[in-house]
Amino acid sequence: MTTDSSIPALEMSDVTLELGDGDSRVRALDGVSLTVMPGEFVAIVGPSGSGKSSLLAIGGALARPDSGTVRVHGTDLATLSRGATTRFRLRRIGFVFQSGNLLPSLTAADQLRLAGRLAGNRRVDTEPLLDSVGMAHRAGHRPGELSGGERQRVGIARALVNDPSLLLVDEPTAALDRRRSHEVVGLLADRAQGSGVAVVMVTHDRDVLEHCDRVLEMVDGRLSAVLPVA
Ligand code: ADP
Ligand code: MG
């Protein structure tokens, strides 16, 4: 997708989100503001339960905040109907989850074709995309026949099928050893630099932060500290 590089890929302003009921009600996001430009690779670190996945859900139009605004590539998500939100998400936003989240019965190439078809994109050129994540030689393999790192690479290729403006990544290295972790996160950094997609990655893995442009810390629903990248 050709993106105007002066428009933020993600702009969250003073976002709050409460989850749960009664005594277990939690302020998962407490006045979060975040701007990510095209081509930027931002990491968010922070303890478990601090609101990191909630931030990705709100930024990815999977949930709506209680207050505050969220714009993805200039579009205020609150202005979209339910159906329009789904179409917008499928076309403009890519998600990568912890273990790849692939469908067990589909080959790598078919995972990509399905993601394309869901967004109304009938002709997906799977080969160059799989090649770009070093997986062209595994196009016909199902997830059970792939290693953790390979599954994660297919998951990244699938998230990029519709050429999104924004890629949201939740703990991509949780199941990987150190070397694979660097490969996968390095791949994300290359994509951000090469194609201009903005990447927001949540991680526990401080070892991979060197690949990122910016590191933010989430504590108790607040995006508070900015840590310098070594
Ligand atoms: P993280 O990804 O940083 O571990 P989450 O965004 O998943 O944090 O969760 C933030 C807070 O919201 C936590 O206290 C969690 O227990 C709570 N929470 C998450 N999902 C729900 C839910 N569906 N109902 C109630 N509370 C939730
Ligand atoms: Mg989480």
Side-chain angles (χ1 to χ4, degrees):
M1 182 166 287
T2 40
T3 48
D4 181 337
S5 60
S6 66
I7 299 174
L10 174 64
E11 200 172 11
M12 296 175 73
S13 307
D14 210 14
V15 166
T16 63
L17 176 71
E18 297 205 348
L19 294 171
D21 299 303
D23 284 351
S24 64
R25 201 151 173 85
V26 173
R27 186 161 273 216
L29 298 176
D30 188 6
V32 168
S33 297
L34 171 65
T35 300
V36 186
M37 298 306 291
E40 242 196 316
F41 186 7
V42 173
I44 297 176
V45 298
S48 183
S50 60
K52 304 181 301 297
S53 294
S54 299
L55 183 148
L56 294 187
I58 295 290
L62 291 166
R64 292 217 166 164
D66 295 316
S67 63
T69 56
V70 184
R71 287 174 196 275
V72 174
H73 200 66
T75 298
D76 182 346
L77 298 181
T79 65
L80 302 177
S81 69
R82 234 182 136 86
T85 300
T86 302
R87 287 190 294 278
F88 185 87
R89 185 192 315 116
L90 287 168
R91 291 197 185 128
R92 307 297 306 250
I93 305 172
F95 294 90
V96 179
F97 299 102
Q98 196 165 99
S99 53
N101 242 50
L102 303 174
L103 293 165
S105 63
L106 296 186
T107 65
D110 282 340
Q111 311 271 352
L112 272 55
R113 288 191 192 102
L114 176 62
R117 198 159 323 140
L118 288 171
N121 187 355
R122 299 211 155 260
R123 253 186 296 264
V124 174
D125 205 356
T126 59
E127 228 238 83
L129 204 49
L130 284 171
D131 193 40
S132 75
V133 297
M135 288 297 293
H137 62 306
R138 295 284 184 269
H141 287 234
R142 293 182 174 76
E145 302 158 342
L146 301 172
S147 73
E150 288 177 330
R151 280 199 288 272
Q152 202 52 279
R153 285 160 177 274
V154 174
I156 291 169
R158 181 183 59 180
L160 293 168
V161 156
N162 301 308
D163 213 358
S165 311
L166 179 61
L167 191 59
L168 300 172
V169 187
D170 202 346
E171 303 275 7
T173 64
L176 305 183
D177 66 29
R178 197 184 153 99
R179 187 163 72 88
R180 301 286 173 217
S181 295
H182 277 286
E183 283 176 9
V184 163
V185 178
L187 191 63
L188 292 169
D190 290 345
R191 291 308 295 214
Q193 223 159 34
S195 75
V197 66
V199 183
V200 180
M201 174 181 73
V202 160
T203 186
H204 267 99
D205 187 356
R206 292 190 183 252
D207 200 43
V208 299
L209 296 179
E210 66 191 62
H211 298 283
C212 304
D213 299 315
R214 199 146 58 97
V215 182
L216 305 174
E217 189 168 32
M218 190 94 171
V219 178
D220 285 342
R222 290 181 203 207
L223 213 45
S224 54
V226 180
L227 310 174
V229 183

